[in-house]
Amino acid sequence: MKNSSFLIALLFCLASCTNVSFVNHQPEFLEPLSEIPEKYHGTFLIETDTHSVMIDAIDGMSINTDSVVVKARGNYFYVNILDDNGNYELYVYRLIRYFDYENSYAVFPNIDSEQTHLFNVIDEWNCNNGKQCYLLDNVNENQFNLLVSSVTSEKVELKRIN
């Protein structure tokens, strides 16, 4: 129960950063991981919240369930969390390492009304944060890359604590 309440608090804090959710975990063209790669293990600070990543869990929540699905590609780590409506919220983490240098940040995908024609939007509603929210389905690789690299997507720096 403690983990569930923490996850709910985390989703509430992060949900205001994104205005898209997905029918399927993202990116659809990658298979889910059964273990989190070692380079992503550790404790991270996002603004004022601390998050722990281990081999098979994020903040104590197992990744070997449908409620938390993780994927990775290159320097990107994707965390999909199933919401109360049965859709996935996506949180993207980018880690850059070079010798002793490390930089990481979270990307929160967003689209605006002028971009909706580029995606398969199957539902939209007013979010609690005043934004227009969209439910996307059948996101192909080009659409996904556009979504993650979009100027409308929010980026927040992560700091590794250990």
Side-chain angles (χ1 to χ4, degrees), residues 99-142:
F99 294 113
D100 290 338
Y101 172 80
E102 180 176 286
N103 182 316
S104 56
Y105 57 88
V107 177
F108 305 104
N110 282 283
I111 62 174
D112 60 30
S113 60
E114 295 174 2
Q115 295 173 305
T116 57
H117 71 281
L118 300 172
F119 301 95
N120 184 20
V121 176
I122 61 171
D123 195 10
E124 61 182 273
W125 64 96
N126 291 321
C127 301
N128 295 336
N129 58 13
K131 291 181 181 179
Q132 189 70 13
C133 286
Y134 304 96
L135 178 61
L136 306 182
D137 194 14
N138 298 320
V139 179
N140 67 37
E141 189 169 355
N142 289 335

Side-chain angles (χ1 to χ4, degrees), residues 25-26 31-33 62-63 65-71 78-82 88:
H25 42 79
Q26 297 298 312
E31 291 298 316
L33 301 176
S62 173
I63 65 164
T65 66
D66 283 340
S67 60
V68 180
V69 178
V70 298
K71 300 180 178 191
Y78 308 100
V79 179
N80 294 268
I81 300 174
L82 196 63
Y88 287 96

